[in-house]
């Protein structure tokens, strides 16, 4: 994900600047997506910007079934809506900006997707 280094961290300092940064980001990237997948479990998330709802985070989770005769459980889909300012406050509160994280990493944490390095 190209995001001009830590510009998002600079933008955090101002509500207006951060809103402009996020709006411009999603003009260039229709959505941000990621996933976490291990043999028994998976999670996929997408984040998009909606003019009415702000950030819309969709998380799909499911269980990977092994074997030919086992029925596959239906995936669970969850959608959360968050204003850009609430997202900025969450980042500031959780101190993500103080850590060596990309904006994609922050979205991944907000979506609740484990880090693939934590397997």
């Amino acid at each position: 994900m190209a995001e001009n280094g830590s510009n998002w961290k600079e933008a955090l300092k101002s509500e207006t600047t951060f809103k402009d940064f996020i709006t411009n980001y999603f003009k260039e990237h229709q959505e941000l997506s990621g996933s976490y997948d291990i043999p028994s479990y998976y999670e996929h998330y997408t984040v998009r910007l909606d003019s009415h709802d702000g950030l819309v985070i969709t998380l799909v989770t499911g269980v990977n079934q092994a074997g030919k005769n086992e029925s596959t459980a239906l995936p669970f889909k969850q959608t959360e809506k968050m204003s850009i300012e609430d997202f900025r406050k969450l980042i500031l509160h959780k101190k993500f900006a103080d850590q060596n994280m990309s904006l994609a990493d922050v979205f991944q944490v907000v979506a609740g997707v484990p880090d693939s390095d934590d397997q």
Side-chain angles (χ1 to χ4, degrees):
M1 171 176 139
E3 63 180 74
N4 303 328
S6 61
N7 285 354
W8 70 273
K9 292 180 182 182
E10 277 298 311
L12 278 174
K13 296 175 183 176
S14 160
E15 178 179 348
T16 304
T17 305
F18 189 70
K19 182 176 182 178
D20 290 344
F21 179 86
I22 293 295
T23 302
N24 289 333
Y25 176 85
F26 281 103
K27 282 180 185 173
E28 294 176 22
H29 311 85
Q30 297 299 310
E31 69 178 23
L32 174 68
S33 62
S35 63
Y36 172 77
D37 200 349
I38 59 175
S40 61
Y41 179 78
Y42 66 88
E43 293 183 351
H44 302 281
Y45 73 93
T46 58
V47 182
R48 61 180 177 78
L49 185 62
D50 181 275
S51 60
H52 300 289
D53 298 320
L55 296 169
V56 179
I57 303 166
T58 303
L59 181 65
V60 177
T61 58
V63 176
N64 291 324
Q65 299 289 339
K68 294 179 184 175
N69 295 327
E70 295 189 35
S71 63
T72 303
L74 293 174
F76 176 72
K77 183 176 180 180
Q78 180 178 354
T79 301
E80 181 176 339
K81 297 172 183 174
M82 180 181 297
S83 73
I84 294 172
E85 177 57 10
D86 285 347
F87 180 58
R88 185 180 83 90
K89 288 177 182 176
L90 178 67
I91 292 172
L92 291 171
H93 176 71
K94 296 284 187 178
K95 308 222 182 294
F96 293 134
D98 297 339
Q99 301 172 23
N100 186 20
M101 296 179 81
S102 70
L103 187 58
D105 294 334
V106 174
F107 276 120
Q108 181 173 319
V109 171
V110 171
V113 178
D115 188 334
S116 59
D117 296 336
D118 292 345
Q119 290 185 31

